[in-house]
Amino acid sequence: MPIVTVQQGPRSVELKRELVQRITDAFVDAYRIPADTVQVWIHEVPADSWGAAGQLTADR
């Protein structure tokens, strides 16, 4: 059973719903496995707890 972890900033429920469906579809197509064996975990990190290129994402 594949488990996919996505780390990202906050997004709407609608966008997360679409992302989970697309990731699941990709595994079903690539691995020829049932959709109910794919798990997607979304870990949302606030913009003030994430940095890139020496800056907090909240300051960009």
Side-chain angles (χ1 to χ4, degrees):
M1 143 179 56
I3 298 172
V4 179
T5 303
V6 177
Q7 294 184 325
Q8 66 179 28
R11 299 290 195 281
S12 70
V13 172
E14 293 81 15
L15 288 175
K16 290 185 283 189
R17 191 174 285 126
E18 182 176 346
L19 178 65
V20 168
Q21 185 62 59
R22 287 181 181 219
I23 289 171
T24 300
D25 290 346
F27 273 85
V28 168
D29 292 343
Y31 286 176
R32 312 279 191 258
I33 57 175
D36 64 355
T37 64
V38 180
Q39 293 186 25
V40 180
W41 300 356
I42 298 174
H43 177 77
E44 291 187 320
V45 180
D48 63 351
S49 296
W50 186 301
Q55 284 187 302
L56 282 177
T57 304
D59 295 336
R60 297 176 115 200

